[in-house]
Amino acid sequence: MRTPGSFWRIGLALVLVSTLALVASCAPQAAPGAAPAAAPAEEKATEAVTEAEEKAPTYGGTLTVALHGEIDKLDPHQSVTIVGFQVQQNIVESLVTANVTLDGVDPELATDWTISDDGLTYTFKLRQGVKFHNGKEFKAEDVIYSFNRIMDPDFPAADRSDLEMVESVEAPDDYTVVFKLKYPFAAFLTNLESLWILPKDAGVDFNQQLIGTGPFKFVEWVSGDHITLERFDDYWEEGKPYLDKVVFRPIPESATKLVELKTGGLNFIGNVPYKDVAELESDPNFKVYRVLGVVRDHLGFNVTKPPFDNKLVRQAMGYLIDREAIAQSVMEGYAKPAQIAIPESHWAFNPAIKDAYTFDPEKARQLLTEAGYPDGFKATIKVSPTYPLEIKMAELIAEAAKEVGVDFEIQQLEWSTWIQQVVTEGDFEAEIVLISGGIDPDDFFYQWHHSGEIFNIWRFSTPELDALLEKGRKLRDKEERKKVYYEIQEYLIDQAPMVHIVYRESIMASTANVNGFVMTGREDMTFKTVWLDQGE
Amino acid sequence: MPTFIIRRLIHLVPVLVGVSLAVFLLLKLTPGDPATAILGVQASPQEVARIRRSLGLDRPWWVQYGIWLSNVVRGDLGTSYQSKRPVSTLILQRLPATVELAILSLLIAVSIGVPAGIISATRRYTALDYAFTSFALFGISMPGFWFGILLILIFSLYLRWLPASGYAPLSAGLGPHLKHLILPSIALGLFNTGALMRFTRSSMLEALSQDYVRTARAKGLAERIVILRHVLKNALIPTLTVLGLQIGYLLGGAVIIEQVFAWPGIGWLALTAINQRDYPVVMGVVLMVSFVFVFSNLLVDIAYTWVNPRIRFDQEGK
């Protein structure tokens, strides 16, 4: 489960981008006359895959990739930044990996698994003949070692909360691992995704020398300059990887990053600024990868304080957001109106709420009058310059709110301060931020809305919602779960502890000689399938 | 002179302690928690408490500062909260890149700013003077990061003469090494060039109006000699002072320029560390930068005596 991690990962990663860089890259731009055609996300991804199959992949070469900041730590059990994740996911592997459409998992170090009828026992068959970079053979003991490491209360693991439900991990033989859970947990499999397997008894500090079973070996990390990975010749997947080397370079300034891509200093970049997408797309020297993923923006309310303790007021705010206009202007067309956290393409998305909130100031006015605020009120929206687009969204919303007498003051806070005031202390009235990640429907709702969860930023908690959320994570039948999550979505739309604004596209780009990259809706940068045209 | 140097070196100690204390307090006052930055937001309060305890963050600030200071005295700058690498290693890895950048941009500033200032002053109100003065104004007003991006667009994107970012170690060859160094040095040196030019010009003009200049001219010395021997030497003292202070600007300005050019120096290291609330790294960099700043100003003071022998520090206060 990446959701909580990603929230911080993306946050931290963006923190590293200097404010100046953001000013340069996100300076107000006129909305393009015609919105770029919303690229069908999956189509793009499949395109990349088919292409890789059509041309025969060739071996060799170095891929130079930009990271938007320095990674925090090398040890993947401790790292909390998205850039750390992007590097580590090429070196280490998990039992299972998220699938391309991000709504389930595929086998990785486990080949298959069975789940007991009571949902309490998960038995994994491990892949045989897998080697770690230090030559050790991958066995069940490494799985036990890795999970015990994460679960050890004395070890500062980033993802320990993903394993709260685990009672024990055992290995009946070298290639079988059995997890016993304290309670049935439907999202357990997706939780295992990105819980990395490290070798037992490696005798090294993984913060200095990371060892895994992944397609690339860690070679060196020169602080502020580069991280080099090298092809692992004994990789278990026949024929892969294709590249000899992957070099990651931290480049926080997006203008610099773009020039490096254009002049051959880089082959691959993430977070392409919106203003540059159309130009890169029209240039045959580059490839652009776009997916409408799991990154979404919302306007959230502190439901413990007036005026947002009133449901009608919160609903009114839902009608004050011109989502289409924000998608076209602030997001320059690289976004889609959103109603709920879960993307429309997800199996658990409830189509009945598709158009729940429209832009309707008249309706907002009625609701405010009904709520006892016929003349509006004053409130503060807290945002962070780390997310400059959210500031523009706040401005557009505040402008629309003026029409109904609501006077929003937009307060900008440095990111860590924002986290402390909004998330930790609950010292806010309204906030706008982006959230990323999620595979299982549980990822999209439980930790954000269940009572007592750290990420229940809005402090909204009701016994009904808690009961639904608990039911949803315990059920095993997909159709039954779907019903529960449909209900949760309807409930949240009605209660509106937060109202959604847009889903964003993730946009990456490469030089035209890069083939086989598989784009997901989050920030993955796995280069196992990537190869370069030769003759370079 | 040796007593002066020793005395100044002793003065260094309270300055460094003062600066580090001020920065330490500022870090403490800044919202945001290192433990949260290390563990991620989803960590439970117990985990956060444990990390805070293991880092000693639960103790009163003066105890924390005392421990840090006593470690520093013993030569231990601590370990990065984030990367778990020794702070001294991080600084040593990244200091050379910043020093190189600072030295080259200082050289650019001196070799362009000083001669331009002299020419401007001696050819006052000519087209050349106006041209140089305008350039100086441009240099002072232009934000370094923006100028850096312009340089990248012109020399990397359109002309393709120089790389846009990064650092090439000397082991990669002198050519690539210098090529990577040029753009960031120019971007960083621009402000100093303008400032130096203006200072040289105004102190030259002041010196030119002195009586001894009139005397020198009256006794029939060639104008060249008057300018170089009499005017310049006296005019250089304020210029030297500015130069000393500019080293501080260079190290500070490097924070932004290093970001723009993805230059692996200590400015960028410090910025990342501040955002990650990585206190030991921030403190280490600040200590290093203050030391370089104070030390280079000591060198400037010593240079005064060379430029103007009338200045004798040993007689100070007598």
Side-chain angles (χ1 to χ4, degrees):
Chain A
M1 175 166 61
R2 190 75 40 69
T3 323
S6 294
F7 180 63
W8 183 246
R9 276 179 172 135
I10 290 202
L12 251 187
L14 282 171
V15 161
L16 304 182
V17 182
S18 81
T19 324
L20 291 168
L22 287 166
V23 170
S25 60
C26 303
Q29 299 120 13
E42 294 81 53
E43 213 173 271
K44 274 272 172 188
T46 2
E47 200 180 284
V49 176
T50 1
E51 188 187 23
E53 284 162 1
E54 277 172 7
K55 285 195 264 176
T58 46
Y59 286 88
T62 299
L63 188 78
T64 312
V65 183
L67 295 174
H68 48 231
E70 178 83 319
I71 72 167
D72 56 340
K73 301 177 196 75
L74 204 49
D75 186 338
H77 289 166
Q78 294 182 43
S79 172
V80 293
T81 56
I82 185 78
V83 280
F85 174 72
Q86 287 168 334
V87 172
Q88 289 144 12
Q89 66 180 166
N90 289 287
I91 306 170
V92 287
E93 295 181 310
S94 316
L95 290 178
V96 295
T97 182
N99 64 17
V100 181
T101 44
L102 298 181
D103 58 1
V105 293
D106 292 334
E108 194 160 64
L109 286 176
T111 48
D112 57 278
W113 48 86
T114 51
I115 306 168
S116 65
D117 286 338
D118 59 6
L120 289 173
T121 310
Y122 284 66
T123 309
F124 291 87
K125 282 281 160 213
L126 303 185
R127 196 174 292 281
Q128 302 197 12
V130 174
K131 276 192 177 153
F132 282 102
H133 302 153
N134 63 356
K136 180 190 186 303
E137 199 202 337
F138 161 69
K139 285 182 183 160
E141 58 176 14
D142 304 303
V143 180
I144 310 274
Y145 163 77
S146 302
F147 282 92
N148 283 339
R149 188 170 188 252
I150 299 171
M151 292 191 292
D152 176 1
D154 289 327
F155 177 77
D159 288 328
R160 184 175 304 124
S161 56
D162 287 354
L163 295 175
E164 255 168 27
M165 69 300 296
V166 174
E167 172 79 45
S168 67
V169 199
E170 277 158 24
D173 61 65
D174 275 354
Y175 299 103
T176 310
V177 173
V178 181
F179 286 84
K180 290 249 186 337
L181 305 192
K182 295 174 195 153
Y183 45 85
F185 188 75
F188 182 63
L189 269 181
T190 51
N191 268 21
L192 295 182
E193 185 270 329
S194 86
L195 289 184
W196 312 107
I197 306 300
L198 301 177
K200 190 181 178 226
D201 300 327
V204 296
D205 175 358
F206 294 122
N207 269 316
Q208 316 295 330
Q209 179 66 40
L210 180 55
I211 298 169
T213 57
F216 296 97
K217 294 185 287 189
F218 171 78
V219 178
E220 63 170 355
W221 172 13
V222 178
S223 170
D225 198 56
H226 67 267
I227 294 168
T228 305
L229 312 185
E230 210 174 70
R231 179 178 202 271
F232 178 42
D233 294 330
D234 287 332
Y235 186 58
W236 57 267
E237 201 174 335
E238 196 60 36
K240 286 188 181 127
Y242 303 108
L243 299 163
D244 283 342
K245 259 186 186 180
V246 179
V247 177
F248 291 95
R249 288 185 50 200
I251 304 184
E253 169 56 54
S254 49
T256 311
K257 189 167 76 179
L258 215 75
V259 172
E260 285 284 17
L261 181 76
K262 288 179 176 173
T263 55
L266 288 171
N267 305 103
F268 197 94
I269 64 173
N271 289 67
V272 182
Y274 295 138
K275 66 177 166 54
D276 300 307
V277 177
E279 189 200 332
L280 287 177
E281 277 184 332
S282 61
D283 189 332
N285 292 315
F286 304 101
K287 288 180 184 167
V288 176
Y289 311 88
R290 293 169 51 187
V291 169
L292 192 67
V294 285
V295 186
R296 66 269 181 189
D297 290 281
H298 70 265
L299 166 66
F301 314 103
N302 186 341
V303 305
T304 64
K305 289 183 190 169
F308 298 115
D309 55 347
N310 188 325
K311 176 175 104 173
L312 298 173
V313 175
R314 302 196 296 265
Q315 288 178 344
M317 299 302 117
Y319 291 106
L320 284 176
I321 302 173
D322 192 345
R323 296 172 179 76
E324 196 56 53
I326 288 175
Q328 295 308 327
S329 63
V330 178
M331 311 302 292
E332 303 195 28
Y334 301 100
K336 260 186 80 177
Q339 298 287 349
I340 200 87
I342 201 160
E344 287 179 19
S345 57
H346 198 284
W347 58 266
F349 177 77
N350 181 351
I353 60 144
K354 202 168 183 301
D355 298 305
Y357 287 104
T358 49
F359 180 55
D360 190 348
E362 219 21 69
K363 176 104 186 176
R365 193 191 305 274
Q366 276 172 28
L367 285 165
L368 285 176
T369 314
E370 211 179 308
Y373 295 96
D375 305 320
F377 53 83
K378 271 191 173 188
T380 306
I381 305 182
K382 288 192 174 171
V383 289
S384 172
T386 298
Y387 298 99
L389 296 171
E390 278 70 8
I391 300 175
K392 289 195 224 167
M393 291 179 196
E395 283 162 357
L396 284 183
I397 292 168
E399 202 54 41
K402 265 188 205 153
E403 299 291 312
V404 295
V406 175
D407 182 7
F408 274 125
E409 185 204 331
I410 298 164
Q411 196 182 341
Q412 302 190 21
L413 300 169
E414 183 263 350
W415 179 240
S416 294
T417 312
W418 190 96
I419 290 276
Q420 186 165 336
Q421 292 189 2
V422 175
V423 181
T424 317
E425 293 164 0
D427 172 20
F428 73 106
E429 290 171 311
E431 52 80 28
I432 299 186
V433 79
L434 68 78
I435 289 174
S436 171
I439 297 172
D440 188 272
D442 184 73
D443 303 341
F444 291 94
F445 299 110
Y446 190 94
Q447 61 192 320
W448 306 100
H449 297 294
H450 195 275
S451 303
E453 288 288 313
I454 291 161
F455 279 116
N456 189 342
I457 306 174
W458 318 282
R459 275 80 184 161
F460 177 80
S461 89
T462 64
E464 299 98 288
L465 185 56
D466 282 357
L468 282 171
L469 290 167
E470 283 158 29
K471 195 173 165 193
R473 60 166 37 178
K474 280 178 185 151
L475 287 174
R476 288 199 47 212
D477 181 75
K478 200 168 175 177
E479 284 310 309
E480 280 178 53
R481 292 192 76 204
K482 205 166 167 174
K483 275 184 212 143
V484 174
Y485 286 105
Y486 274 24
E487 212 177 316
I488 289 173
Q489 291 168 64
E490 277 159 23
Y491 187 80
L492 284 172
I493 288 286
D494 175 60
Q495 293 291 327
M498 33 106 98
V499 286
H500 279 81
I501 306 169
V502 287
Y503 301 115
R504 287 185 183 195
E505 281 190 24
S506 294
I507 307 178
M508 298 187 177
S510 72
T511 45
N513 62 342
V514 175
N515 302 286
F517 178 70
V518 181
M519 178 82 177
T520 68
R522 50 181 196 192
E523 315 268 316
D524 289 282
M525 279 195 181
T526 40
F527 299 116
K528 156 163 118 169
T529 54
V530 169
W531 53 277
L532 296 171
D533 285 332
Q534 294 306 309
E536 267 221 289
Chain B
M1 187 59 112
T3 12
F4 163 73
I5 294 174
I6 289 165
R7 204 164 54 218
R8 282 292 297 268
L9 284 174
I10 293 170
H11 282 172
L12 207 87
V13 176
V15 169
L16 293 182
V17 171
V19 168
S20 64
L21 185 61
V23 171
F24 190 82
L25 289 176
L26 279 175
L27 283 175
K28 290 285 145 190
L29 288 173
T30 316
D33 180 24
T36 317
I38 292 166
L39 290 169
V41 187
Q42 78 277 26
S44 69
Q46 295 92 305
E47 285 174 289
V48 169
R50 192 173 40 245
I51 280 282
R52 292 183 60 84
R53 203 163 43 245
S54 75
L55 297 176
L57 291 167
D58 55 338
R59 308 168 87 162
W61 68 264
W62 58 87
V63 177
Q64 292 179 43
Y65 180 73
I67 293 172
W68 178 83
L69 194 64
S70 73
N71 285 336
V72 168
V73 171
R74 281 180 276 125
D76 176 13
L77 287 175
T79 308
S80 160
Y81 288 172
Q82 287 294 346
S83 68
K84 311 284 177 200
R85 295 172 163 207
V87 174
S88 49
T89 312
L90 284 173
I91 291 179
L92 286 179
Q93 248 183 25
R94 298 180 65 156
L95 188 65
T98 300
V99 168
E100 246 185 291
L101 190 62
I103 289 177
L104 190 62
S105 58
L106 208 59
L107 280 179
I108 292 173
V110 172
S111 57
I112 296 175
V114 174
I118 296 171
I119 294 169
S120 259
T122 50
R123 309 238 196 303
R124 196 141 67 124
Y125 304 135
T126 62
L128 206 59
D129 179 28
Y130 287 127
F132 282 146
T133 322
S134 316
F135 170 77
L137 197 64
F138 168 81
I140 291 169
S141 330
M142 188 74 174
F145 79 92
W146 181 242
F147 186 60
I149 291 174
L150 281 184
L151 289 178
I152 291 174
L153 290 179
I154 297 168
F155 292 99
S156 306
L157 185 60
Y158 298 115
L159 298 173
R160 310 234 167 176
W161 289 352
L162 295 164
S165 70
Y167 177 85
L170 263 175
S171 58
L174 189 64
H177 181 72
L178 288 178
K179 274 187 164 179
H180 279 88
L181 197 54
I182 293 174
L183 291 186
S185 304
I186 294 175
L188 185 58
L190 179 76
F191 173 87
N192 296 28
T193 311
L196 264 189
M197 199 236 119
R198 284 171 67 100
F199 260 95
T200 312
R201 181 178 182 272
S202 63
S203 52
M204 282 285 291
L205 286 177
E206 204 186 310
L208 275 169
S209 66
Q210 299 293 319
D211 289 345
Y212 61 79
V213 175
R214 204 177 44 195
T215 313
R217 281 185 179 142
K219 68 180 183 188
L221 281 181
E223 186 65 11
R224 232 176 62 91
I225 309 249
V226 174
I227 299 289
L228 291 181
R229 189 178 299 163
H230 297 278
V231 180
L232 187 60
K233 242 184 164 181
N234 284 293
L236 270 185
I237 291 174
T239 310
L240 263 179
T241 313
V242 173
L243 205 62
L245 295 173
Q246 278 185 345
I247 291 168
Y249 166 82
L250 284 177
L251 295 169
V255 173
I256 306 297
I257 297 296
E258 284 178 5
Q259 282 254 350
V260 172
F261 289 94
W263 188 258
I266 51 166
W268 184 14
L269 177 70
L271 193 66
T272 308
I274 290 168
N275 283 328
Q276 295 180 337
R277 300 294 188 270
D278 198 340
Y279 296 167
V281 177
V282 179
M283 295 296 291
V285 174
V286 166
L287 197 69
M288 183 54 64
V289 169
S290 343
F291 178 79
V292 172
F293 182 66
V294 178
F295 196 75
S296 52
N297 275 284
L298 173 63
L299 293 182
V300 167
D301 287 349
I302 294 169
Y304 284 159
T305 58
W306 170 74
V307 174
N308 189 337
R310 279 176 306 181
I311 299 175
R312 292 259 184 75
F313 292 107
D314 287 345
Q315 286 153 18
E316 212 174 274
K318 278 183 189 167

